[in-house]
Amino acid sequence: MDADVIIVGAGPAGARTVLHTQAQVALRRGDDPAAEALREVFLELFADEQPLRRIGALIAGTDIHYPIPNPNQHALTGTFAPDLTLHTDQGTTSVAELMHTAWPILLDLADRPDLRETARDWQHRVGIHTAKTEHRPADAPLIRPDAQIAWAATIDEPADTAALALREALSGWFGTPLKTTVPIIDRLS
C-alpha cells in the first residue's frame, strides 16, 4: 500500500506515525558514512534534555495539534493537555490524575465562577474542577477524555466572550445541556 494513501486517510496521528516509522527506517538503513553520521548526530541530540523531550513528545504523539474550532485562537486548543501541578483545598494533584476518571473536565485555574456557572448544565457529563497552578497557561481549559484541549479561555478573557465560547464548545463536544437545579459539584475544592 502506498504510504501517501495512508497519510491522507489516517488523520494527524496516523500521518505522524507513518512519518516516524519512515524516519526510523532511514536511521537504521545502510552502513555507509552518511548513515553513520546521521545516527551519531541523533545520539548527540539525545544527550540534551530539550531535544530528548521533543523526540519523546513526537513518539508519544503529544506534539500533535488538531485543527478544531478555536474562536479566541488560544494556543492550547487542539493540543495535548500539559500535566500541570494543581493546588486545591484538598491538596496537590495533577492534570494527569484528573484524567484518570476518563471524563472530560473544565479546569478553572483563575477562580472564574462565570465559567463554572456556564458549565453547570453539563456537570452530569463534564467534571468541573477549581485549582491553582504556578504558571497558568489559560484561565480555564476544557479537556476531552483523550487529554486533548477542546477549548481554553485566554488569561483574563472577558466573561461575555469566554462564557459564550465555552457554551459552544460544551455543546459541540458534549451535546445538549441538561438543565438542573443541582448545585455545581467541584470535585477538588
Side-chain angles (χ1 to χ4, degrees):
M1 183 179 289
D2 187 359
D4 290 339
V5 173
I6 294 171
I7 291 171
V8 169
R16 285 303 265 191
T17 300
V18 171
L19 179 68
H20 296 162
T21 302
Q22 290 172 335
Q24 290 173 37
V25 167
L27 281 171
R28 296 291 301 156
R29 184 180 290 157
D31 288 321
D32 62 13
E36 194 57 43
L38 181 62
R39 285 190 287 274
E40 206 169 301
V41 167
F42 267 82
L43 284 174
E44 287 179 26
L45 288 172
F46 287 155
D48 295 328
E49 184 178 346
Q50 186 56 35
L52 193 57
R53 287 184 180 276
R54 176 80 171 121
I55 289 169
L58 289 169
I59 291 169
T62 58
D63 68 320
I64 296 173
H65 190 280
Y66 288 91
I68 60 177
N70 191 0
N72 62 4
Q73 302 304 303
H74 198 289
L76 285 179
T77 302
T79 66
F80 195 79
D83 191 20
L84 305 170
T85 299
L86 304 173
H87 305 284
T88 72
D89 292 343
Q90 294 154 333
T92 302
T93 189
S94 67
V95 172
E97 285 293 320
L98 293 180
M99 298 312 300
H100 282 232
T101 64
W103 263 50
I105 62 169
L106 175 68
L107 182 56
D108 180 359
L109 298 172
D111 193 21
R112 297 279 308 255
D114 57 316
L115 299 180
R116 293 192 310 272
E117 182 60 33
T118 298
R120 180 180 180 170
D121 292 337
W122 283 269
Q123 70 182 357
H124 66 291
R125 293 181 225 157
V126 176
I128 301 169
H129 303 280
T130 303
K132 299 285 183 203
T133 191
E134 188 173 330
H135 299 289
R136 173 173 46 119
D139 274 4
L142 176 63
I143 308 171
R144 300 182 330 197
D146 63 356
Q148 294 293 322
I149 297 182
W151 172 85
T154 59
I155 303 290
D156 299 326
E157 183 172 347
D160 58 336
T161 60
L164 178 63
L166 174 57
R167 181 170 281 287
E168 288 176 11
L170 286 163
S171 292
W173 287 105
F174 309 113
T176 306
L178 176 67
K179 299 291 183 189
T180 71
T181 56
V182 179
I184 291 179
I185 300 169
D186 188 333
R187 293 180 170 81
L188 291 179
S189 54

